[in-house]
């Protein structure tokens, strides 16, 4: 939360500061006083207003927004052009209205052939052909809804990242590493001519090492400013521009602000299947056979496709029919077809029917030869076959135009698909035999028997049958069933098909006709070539018209499909089913029905509209059904397909003529004899007549004018079969996008067109509607739309909505009166869209928008034109070029817009049916219009008198053009009850409609460039205000009851306001936003659990802020001046002028960084976002904890979007954008105690967390043991702990709920983004104003950032990869619980829309499929978690990104630290801050960092030490120790650049320490201690690298000309040699864990190396004592303890002048003369009163006493009683001085014991056996030719020691 800086920085107001703190402390006790209280709360309490120039508004309330339009006019910008200029205003081409020609699948558009069309047909055709009218927000893709921080786009932005080098990745794997180590050791130790362990050996090693590259100009005396500039230039070069491209987007569901562009409305197809018919071959070939294919659904008992007719006859066979068949059109030669299946299921069969030419004899007789003759016996039966051929030829010549049923078979489609899917091969061959004589079904697949079950298998329920991805299969159908003459109906077929699926099929017992039909079945390709639609139009691409085409077969879906019509289609299918002539007199046995489509009664009036079958012309005038021989009551299975004329009249009818065909050739007998007639008129009362008919049949030709009557009407004097009973069953089915086939829709359209044409009376059904009755009829037909079937409503949705909107915009004039239908139409629209929403809930996006409605608004809806019959606004005609709003706009404006429109403003009437005068009631309006009053200016409609009266007489409609959005807003505001509820349920629809209408209005009225203040009348703006206000009220009052509805309403309202920002007065929209805010705020704080409502408000805000010009809306270039002064000075806040000192300037800086009133007013939306963040993150905010992630994600999303926005790529512009977020720094500083503690992993140890934890888990034998490691580390080395300021949080027990890691990380990345992009001078100015406490808090925040963005390392990524699997399952459960457990409604939507996400494109086109709705495993976020094993490349990529993020984050932190340091340099009052800066720097060095960062980090550290040397060496001494440790660690890095910089820093550190006091004892001691710590705790430590760095330091010392004359180079050399010696010995120690003598020897040498570090030497001496006593070497242990005591005594004498204490080590020389080694006399001795020296517990009087007592005890155990006396000689004076009688009595008792033992054991004491051992041979390495004395326990034989040494 922002910090009121002036309070802290004004030295003149101490009492105020005190008051502030007191209040804050009372308000929030739980935050410790170290941080100061919460400035946020202060604001909320309205305290401190006197400091500001403005009245304070608490953060929980919205401020009044700036009037943006006014502001832009009154504050002209100084910048002429360039990127900054573009920030100021929306671009001129922001919104365009585009007319896009709709894509047409076919080469020519499907339109009726007739030129004269009735109005309904014309409207339909227009609806299917006109261009899409799209409103395009050109920059919309730049809003946060399209944030590129998604995975794919991020990868794009991450291209070309440099690989950062990290030591942790470079470290080799275990084994090879150790080998290398051994090799190095061997090399360093194989020096024969130097005595072991000598200094010379160590120095020799060191001198032979190679140094790393020296840094140029390191030793030059350069002014600090220059160094700073140089460092900054280096740091700022080649930086990664976009921070968020490196940071993965927070894991959230589909972002709420994302609105997908609706799918283009297009023709519906199910899953498509390509069937190719390859060959049909019978055992005998004697005549042509004709085949057809169709799909049937057994369960639904429905034929689900039209027939596909194909002809596989040889040319010879075809030739037999030549006299009967005219030349064939190429479209009828197709042998492949594409079937569409919307509802694939296990019940779908592909049925193949065969017919042959009619011949004498029933089907059984005709089929017999096919069953008995075999191809193999052709020679044997030659004569019989010849005879058959002759007969066939005769029948073909005589009866060639008639057919008879022959055979059929069926293929169970899903078995083919599923078995093909399971095969390995690319294509599958399947043989399907349907029932052989023996009852075995052969289904061979490449001669492998698959078994019967695959054909017979039945499955229950609609399993997901996928036809889009199976492998192509080639089927060979081997068996056909002959047709039964009495079982030809569809009912019989369904029984057969159901029976086929049973194992004991009746069909098995039938004798089959053997044949071979080869068919290919495969998924249809996306865009097949040479394809014809069901209307025979050529589909694009159709390169050559002479190629044999593929036919698209029309689907008759098994269930309703809800897709609006988009193409013209007008087909009629006639299915003659059965005829009963049993009671007809006379001979009528071989019956065929001739079907004709007539436009009049003359025989010549038959229309050529019947589609041909195969190998025939495209269209014919008649069609014949197949003949069943000698059957007076035949069934038919014919399908006759007819192309309906667009405009039908009462004379159009279907004529059925029944013939008896004479099969035998007799004299005087005609071929066909008519035996009956019947017909069906196509229109009945203006509606298409379809359905099932049972018609009477007339024996005579029908009389004149029969076509307008139905055959059911008993015409006088006509003879009928069976007394006029129905004897002919026929079904007529229409597939039409002209005829709705719904009575309610038909009536509505008919009435609307009657109005258009002004033709009365209107005939609808049996009614004649006169003009005076029209109004009531129209209103009732509008309300009756509710009763219509849903399927036709959806099919004609576009036209229906267009007509309803037209009625709103152009009220009709009926009988001279204007009838206002606005309310009725509004109600009808509301109810229609609610029906769609309820019934098609599988068709919605995450916001509950039905995709069909969304498509209508986006593509189809446009403002209706002013005149009837004139083309729509915009380019008319088909396929016109696309026109943009920015081009030739006047050229396409309809003439109507040139009418003058004078309108006086009138108030919104409460009764919308009133035409609009503020005063006149209905009758007054009528009288005015009735008398054709010329003064209509007061009406809410156009007034152009001359044309209006003329038009009225012409069309019955006034050109009264209401504006749709105005009328819509009015109707919505005044509606109530169920209508209002319906509109609220689907508010999004009306909002989007209103917005599109507004844009179109601006476009056609040429107002898109007009001032926003004058675009819309005030009356309309009042309506919008009322609407927004009441809807906000609904949200607030109903959010607990109607959760789902309110969530939808909330997002709809937000999207609406977002849209309005693009087109209306933006200040006005801000006021609307404030209105909503106010309503929510007033409710929010009265709730016990406010999080649900607050969550809604966050969604609302997030959607509004997703506007593509969000930055511009925030006035990023405005200067925060008090509103009183209208013209601010031109000098911007970023100018570096000295004018900062003025009070106004100070105020300005403070305002920029606080959520002050001026900030929130001028940066209105940013103010709301940051306020929301501040309020929700406030630890005292009750009940908002659950929203942390949500609010943080909102900010993260905004910044991430700005970061990638190409418009803000310029650094200057980015700085402006960052200015909008400056208060974010304060808000985050306020949350420090709540942030996740990323530093915890560093607390326990002095190593970076990057080293994999498992390296530390087990202490393996070969490694140095923990105790030794601790000893090596030296207990007094300060461990790395969290900075002291953080201790506050742990000490107060973190009472705040801590944020999650993800939320904390997101917040911190946002902070870094602002710090990276904000103007540095502004930051510096603000830092200057901050108090020390606040600056420290900022540094704590940076410290946390270092840990947060630390590089994890490749190994971690690999390990995480292997763990993902385990977690993903739990995560899924948790996620689902979280999503489904919280608010619910939107999640429900998300969940539903996700259920649909994975569906096939066709899947989303129809109703709710329950089985698909909850398919949770298919949602897209799951796929991320479930994709388990990442490839090597992906892990590499992740590591690359993480490395770059860590580097960039740390560089930003470094930049900020530099600014803080500059601030300190300027003020000089903030030096206490430098310790904090150093702490952050040191922490960053301790973490896993890239080589690139470390170079810059060391450069900054060197600059810091050179500017403030006393800081390290006098104040922050603990930090000095830390720094030495860090530098030394990096000196042992495997990467040479890091070593170069680290050794340079270390050298300069010594040099600066030396310059302060002519020696650098402190650094020497710290480096020595650090080395021991490093070697002791680092597992993968490499001495070779450190040796190189030591050599580099030595090289610097040799080349340092300036200090050559001083003792400095020698001191450096001594130190380096000493370090090197310790290093070598410590490394060897690890080797000799198992060799106690060697180990002790090395420990001794190491302790010697720590001569000038008393604490460390003491530790090592004690370790040696411990090791000795473990092995019962008590005498040696006692000597170590005496040395320890002497060392302590030496330093105690310096510290305390106490006579009774030993003078130093001299006192102890009687015990051992070696003790004098402990004297502290060299130059390097550090005085013990310095911090951190001699601070251990032993450097006290009690410590000394303890050591001496231990020594006495050890001597006693070793039997060296004389020495016990000497030790007690030192102890007794101390106890005497303390008058400790008890201790003295104990000592004297012990002395007595010692002396008595000397007496008793005189001559009997044995102190051990000593052996001289020599090592000879090269295998011993550097021990070759060395001799040692070994001490063994008393009485050890030679053989024993020899054996022990051998074993080892």
């Amino acid at each position: 939360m922002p910090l009121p800086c002036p309070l802290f920085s004004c030295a003149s107001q101490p009492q105020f500061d005190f008051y502030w703190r007191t209040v804050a402390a009372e308000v929030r006790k739980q935050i410790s006083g170290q941080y100061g209280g919460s400035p946020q709360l202060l604001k909320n309490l309205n305290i401190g207003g006197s400091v500001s120039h403005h009245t304070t508004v608490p953060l929980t309330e919205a401020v009044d927004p700036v009037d943006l339009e006014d502001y832009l006019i009154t504050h002209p910008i100084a910048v002429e052009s360039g990127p900054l200029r573009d920030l100021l205003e929306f671009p001129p081409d922001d919104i365009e209205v585009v007319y896009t020609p709709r894509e047409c699948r076919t080469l020519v558009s499907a339109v009726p052939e007739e030129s004269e069309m009735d109005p309904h047909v014309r409207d339909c055709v227009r609806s299917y052909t006109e261009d899409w009218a799209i409103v395009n927000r050109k920059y919309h893709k730049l809003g946060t809804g399209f944030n590129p921080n998604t995975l794919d786009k991020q990868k794009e932005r991450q291209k070309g990242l440099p690989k950062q080098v990290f030591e942790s990745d470079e470290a080799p794997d275990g084994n090879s590493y150790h080998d290398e180590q051994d090799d190095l050791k061997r090399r360093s130790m194989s020096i024969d001519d130097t005595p072991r362990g000598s200094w010379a050996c160590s120095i020799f090693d060191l001198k032979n090492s190679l140094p790393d590259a020296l840094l140029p100009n390191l030793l030059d005396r350069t002014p600090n400013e220059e160094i700073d500039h140089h460092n900054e230039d280096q740091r700022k070069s080649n930086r990664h521009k976009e921070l968020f491209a490196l940071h993965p987007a927070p894991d959230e569901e589909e972002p709420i602000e994302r609105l997908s562009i609706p799918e283009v409305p297009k023709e519906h197809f199910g899953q498509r299947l390509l069937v190719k018919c390859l060959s049909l071959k019978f055992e005998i070939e004697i005549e042509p056979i004709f085949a057809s294919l169709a799909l049937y659904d057994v369960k639904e008992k429905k034929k689900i496709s039209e027939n596909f007719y194909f002809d596989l006859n040889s040319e010879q066979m075809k030739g037999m029919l030549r006299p009967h068949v005219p030349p064939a059109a190429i479209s009828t030669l197709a042998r492949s077809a594409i079937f569409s299946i919307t509802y694939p299921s296990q019940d779908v069969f592909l049925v193949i029917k065969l017919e042959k030419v009619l011949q004498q004899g029933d089907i059984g007789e005709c089929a017999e030869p096919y069953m008995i003759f075999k191809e193999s016996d052709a020679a044997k039966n030659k004569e019989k076959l010849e005879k058959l051929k002759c007969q066939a030829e005769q029948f073909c010549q005589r009866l060639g135009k008639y057919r008879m049923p022959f055979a059929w078979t069926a293929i169970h489609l899903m078995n083919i698909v599923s078995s093909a899917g399971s095969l390995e091969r690319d294509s599958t061959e399947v043989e399907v035999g349907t029932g052989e004589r023996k009852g075995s079904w052969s289904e061979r697949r490449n001669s492998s028997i698959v078994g019967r079950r695959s054909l017979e298998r039945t499955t229950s329920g609609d399993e997901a049958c996928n036809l889009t991805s199976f492998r192509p299969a080639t089927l060979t159908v081997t068996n056909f069933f002959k047709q039964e003459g009495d079982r030809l109906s569809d009912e019989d077929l369904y029984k057969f098909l159901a029976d086929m699926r049973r194992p004991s099929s009746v069909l098995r017992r039938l004798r089959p006709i053997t044949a071979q039909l080869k068919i290919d079945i495969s998924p249809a390709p996306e865009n097949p070539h040479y394809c014809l639609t069901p209307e025979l139009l050529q589909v694009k691409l159709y390169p050559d018209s002479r190629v044999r085409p593929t036919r698209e077969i029309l689907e008759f879906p098994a269930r309703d499909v809800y897709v609006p019509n988009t193409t013209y289609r007008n087909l009629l299918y006639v299915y003659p089913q059965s005829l009963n002539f049993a009671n007809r007199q006379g001979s009528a046995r071989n019956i065929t029905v001739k079907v004709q489509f007539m436009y009049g009664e003359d025989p010549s009036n038959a229309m050529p509209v019947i589609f041909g079958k195969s190998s025939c012309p495209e269209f014919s005038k008649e069609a014949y059904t197949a003949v069943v021989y000698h059957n007076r009551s035949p069934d038919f299975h014919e399908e006759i397909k007819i192309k309906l004329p667009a405009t039908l009249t009462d004379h159009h009818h279907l004529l059925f003529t029944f013939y008896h065909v004479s099969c035998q050739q007799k004299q005087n007998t005609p071929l066909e004899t008519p035996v009956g007639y019947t017909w069906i008129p196509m229109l009945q009362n203006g509606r298409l007549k379809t359905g099932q008919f049972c018609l009477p049949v007339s024996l005579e030709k029908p009389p004149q004018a029969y076509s307008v009557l139905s055959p059911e009407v008993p015409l006088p004097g006509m003879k009928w079969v069976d007394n006029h009973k129905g004897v002919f069953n026929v079904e007529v089915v229409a597939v039409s996008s002209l005829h709705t086939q719904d009575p309610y829709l038909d009536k509505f359209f008919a009435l609307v067109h009657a109005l258009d044409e002004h033709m009365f009376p209107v005939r609808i059904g049996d009614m004649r509607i006169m003009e005076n009755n029209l109004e009531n009829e129209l209103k009732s037909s509008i309300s009756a739309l509710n009763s219509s079937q849903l399927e036709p409503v959806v099919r004609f949705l576009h036209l229906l909505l267009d007509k309803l909107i037209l009625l709103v915009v152009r009220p009709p004039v009926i009988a001279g009166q204007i009838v206002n239908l606005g309310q009725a139409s509004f109600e009808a629209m509301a109810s229609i869209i609610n029906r769609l929403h309820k019934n098609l809930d599988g068709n919605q996006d995450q916001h509950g928008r039905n995709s069909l409605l969304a498509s209508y608004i986006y593509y189809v809806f446009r403002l209706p034109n002013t005149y009837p019959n004139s083309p729509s606004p915009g380019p008319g005609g088909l396929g016109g070029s696309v026109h943009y709003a920015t081009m030739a706009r006047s050229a396409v404006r309809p003439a109507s817009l040139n009418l003058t429109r004078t309108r006086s403003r009138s108030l919104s009437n409460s009764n919308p049916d009133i035409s609009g005068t503020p005063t006149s009631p209905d009758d007054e309006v009528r009288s005015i219009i009735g008398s054709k009053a010329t003064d209509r200016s007061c009406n809410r409609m156009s007034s152009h008198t001359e044309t209006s009266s003329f038009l009225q007489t012409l069309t019955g409609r006034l050109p009264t053009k209401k504006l749709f959005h105005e009328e819509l807003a009015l109707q919505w505001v005044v509606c109530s009850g169920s209508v209002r509820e319906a509109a609220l349920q689907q508010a999004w629809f009306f909002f989007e409609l209103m917005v599109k209408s507004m844009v179109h209005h601006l476009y056609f009225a040429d107002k898109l460039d007009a001032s926003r203040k004058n675009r819309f009348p005030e009356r309309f703006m009042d309506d919008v205000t009322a609407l927004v206000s009441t809807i906000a009220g609904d949200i607030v009052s109903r959010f607990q009851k109607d959760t789902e509805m309110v969530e939808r309403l909330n997002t709809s309202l937000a999207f609406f306001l977002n849209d309005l920002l693009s087109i209306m007065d933006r200040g006005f929209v801000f006021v609307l936003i404030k209105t909503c805010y106010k309503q929510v705020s007033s409710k929010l704080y009265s709730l016990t659990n406010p999080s649900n409502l607050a969550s809604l408000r966050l969604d609302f805000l997030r959607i509004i802020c997703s506007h593509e010009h969000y930055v511009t809306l925030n006035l990023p270039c405005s200067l925060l001046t008090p509103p009183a002064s209208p013209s601010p000075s031109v000098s911007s806040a970023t100018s570096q002028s000295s004018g900062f000192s003025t009070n106004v300037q100070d105020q300005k800086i403070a305002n920029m960084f606080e959520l002050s009133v001026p900030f929130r007013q001028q940066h209105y939306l940013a103010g709301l976002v940051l306020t929301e963040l501040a309020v929700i993150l406030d630890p005292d905010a009750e009940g908002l904890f659950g929203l942390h992630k949500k609010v943080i994600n909102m900010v993260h999303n905004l910044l991430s979007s700005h970061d990638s926005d190409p418009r803000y790529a310029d650094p200057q512009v980015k700085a402006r954008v960052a200015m909008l977020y400056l208060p974010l720094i304060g808000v985050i500083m306020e949350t420090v105690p709540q942030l996740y503690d990323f530093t915890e992993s560093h607390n326990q140890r002095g190593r970076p967390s990057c080293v994999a934890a498992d390296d530390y888990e087990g202490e393996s034998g070969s490694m140095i043991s923990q105790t030794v490691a601790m000893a090596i580390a030296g207990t007094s080395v300060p461990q790395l702990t969290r900075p002291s300021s953080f201790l506050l949080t742990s000490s107060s027990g973190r009472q705040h709920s801590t944020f999650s890691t993800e939320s904390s990380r997101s917040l911190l990345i946002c902070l870094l983004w602002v710090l990276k992009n904000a103007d540095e001078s502004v930051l510096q100015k603000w830092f200057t104003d901050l108090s020390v406490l606040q600056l420290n808090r900022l540094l704590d925040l940076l410290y946390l950032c270092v840990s947060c963005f630390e590089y994890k390392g490749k190994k971690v990524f690999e390990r995480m990869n292997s763990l993902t699997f385990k977690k993903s399952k739990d995560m899924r459960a948790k996620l689902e619980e979280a999503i489904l457990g919280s608010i619910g409604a939107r999640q429900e939507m998300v969940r539903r829309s996700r259920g649909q996400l994975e569906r096939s494109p066709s899947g989303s086109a129809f109703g709710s499929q329950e089985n698909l709705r909850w398919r949770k495993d298919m949602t897209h976020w799951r796929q991320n978690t479930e994709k388990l094993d990442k490839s090597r490349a992906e892990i590499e990529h992740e590591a690359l990104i993480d490395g770059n993020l860590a580097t960039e984050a740390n560089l930003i932190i470094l930049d900020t630290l530099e600014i803080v340091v500059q601030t300190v340099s300027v003020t000089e009052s903030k030096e206490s801050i430098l310790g904090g800066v150093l702490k952050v720097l040191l922490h960053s060095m301790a973490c896993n960092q890239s080589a690139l960062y470390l170079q810059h980090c060391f450069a900054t550290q060197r600059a810091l030490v050179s500017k403030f040397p006393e800081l390290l060496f006098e104040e922050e001494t603990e930090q000095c120790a830390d720094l030495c440790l860090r530098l030394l660690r990096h000196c042992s890095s495997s990467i040479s650049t890091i070593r170069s910089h680290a050794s340079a820093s270390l050298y300069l550190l010594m040099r600066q320490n030396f310059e302060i006091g002519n020696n650098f004892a402190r650094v020497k001691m710290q480096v020595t201690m650090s080395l021991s710590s490093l070697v002791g705790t680092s597992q993968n430590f490499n001495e070779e690298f450190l040796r190189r760095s030591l050599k580099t330091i030595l090289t610097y010392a040799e080349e340092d000309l300036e200090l050559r004359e001083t003792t400095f180079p020698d001191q450096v050399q001594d130190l380096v040699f000493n370090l090197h010696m310790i290093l070598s010995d410590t490394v060897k120690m690890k080797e000799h864990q198992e060799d106690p003598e060697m180990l002790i020897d090395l420990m001794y040498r190491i302790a010697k190396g720590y001569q000038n570090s008393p604490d460390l030497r003491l530790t090592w001496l004690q370790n040696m004592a411990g090791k000795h006593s473990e092995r019962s070497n008590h005498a040696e242990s006692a000597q170590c303890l005496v040395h320890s005591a002497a060392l302590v005594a030496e330093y105690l004498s310096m510290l305390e002048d106490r006579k009774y204490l030993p003078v130093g080590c001299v006192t102890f020389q009687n015990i051992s003369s070696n003790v004098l080694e402990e004297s502290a006399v060299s130059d390097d001795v550090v005085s013990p009163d310095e911090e951190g020296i001699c601070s251990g517990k032993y450097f006290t009087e009690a410590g000394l006493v303890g050591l001496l007592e231990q020594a006495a005890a050890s001597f006693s155990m070793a039997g060296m009683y004389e020495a016990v006396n000497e030790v007690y000689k030192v102890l007794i004076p101390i106890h005497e001085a303390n008058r400790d009688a008890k201790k003295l009595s104990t000592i004297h008792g012990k002395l007595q014991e010692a002396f008595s033992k000397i007496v008793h054991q005189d001559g009997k004491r044995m102190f051990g056996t000593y052996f001289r051992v020599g090592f000879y041979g090269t295998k011993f390495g550097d021990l070759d030719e060395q001799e040692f004395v070994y001490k063994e326990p008393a009485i050890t034989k030679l053989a024993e020691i020899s054996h022990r040494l051998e074993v080892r």
Side-chain angles (χ1 to χ4, degrees), residues 275-390:
V275 177
K276 287 183 186 164
C277 305
L278 306 176
S279 65
L280 174 60
K281 197 161 166 264
F282 286 87
E283 297 281 349
I284 55 175
E285 187 182 22
I286 53 173
E287 62 188 325
I289 303 284
F290 308 96
S292 69
L293 265 182
L295 293 174
Y296 287 81
D297 188 317
V298 182
K299 192 175 173 192
E300 300 287 339
K301 288 209 162 92
K302 189 165 190 255
K303 182 170 191 264
I304 59 170
S305 78
E306 62 173 353
N307 284 346
F308 166 55
Y309 299 97
F310 59 98
D311 179 352
L312 296 171
N313 293 303
S314 63
E315 286 306 316
Q316 183 195 352
M317 290 294 122
K318 282 186 190 170
M320 294 168 73
L321 284 174
R322 204 145 280 141
H324 296 282
V325 181
I330 192 157
S331 63
T332 65
L333 298 179
R335 288 181 183 171
S336 49
I338 293 177
F339 288 88
S340 160
I341 309 180
T342 299
Y343 298 103
S345 77
Q346 296 291 338
D347 307 295
V348 176
F349 282 83
L350 189 59
V351 175
I352 300 148
K353 292 183 181 175
L354 304 180
E355 288 183 345
K356 58 201 268 319
V357 173
L358 177 60
Q359 71 183 76
Q360 192 176 353
D362 68 17
I363 303 169
E365 286 172 52
C366 301
E368 189 70 21
Y370 289 91
M371 294 158 138
I372 58 173
F373 288 114
K374 292 276 174 274
E375 193 179 359
S376 52
D377 305 338
K380 204 175 9 172
N381 302 320
K382 195 172 179 189
E383 282 178 24
K384 290 181 184 171
L385 288 175
E386 283 301 322
K387 187 180 169 192
L388 284 171
K389 263 188 188 162
C390 276

Side-chain angles (χ1 to χ4, degrees), residues 472-533:
T474 302
L475 271 67
T476 306
V477 182
T478 53
N479 294 331
F480 284 85
F481 308 111
K482 74 170 195 295
Q483 290 277 19
E484 311 277 333
D486 52 354
R487 302 185 71 180
L488 289 175
S489 70
D490 277 357
E491 274 307 311
D492 294 317
L493 178 62
Y494 294 128
K495 283 180 193 155
F496 280 135
L497 293 176
D499 179 65
M500 267 178 91
R501 294 168 59 169
R502 292 194 197 100
S504 58
S505 169
V506 178
L507 292 167
R508 288 165 169 241
R509 299 197 284 277
L510 297 178
R511 192 164 155 214
I513 296 173
T514 48
Q516 272 207 331
L517 170 64
K518 277 202 168 174
I519 299 182
D520 261 355
I521 296 186
S522 59
E526 193 66 38
N527 296 309
H529 288 194
Y530 306 109
C531 215
L532 296 175
T533 66

Side-chain angles (χ1 to χ4, degrees), residues 21 25 29-37 1288 1333:
R21 292 223 185 130
K29 290 202 174 75
Q30 74 262 47
I31 285 194
S32 129
Q34 181 175 357
Y35 269 127
L1288 139 89
L1333 276 173

Side-chain angles (χ1 to χ4, degrees), residues 61-82:
E61 286 176 28
V63 295
D64 289 322
V66 67
D67 184 333
L68 200 130
E69 312 302 336
D70 272 359
Y71 187 94
L72 290 177
I73 295 164
T74 53
H75 295 67
I77 185 68
V79 192
E80 281 310 310
S81 63

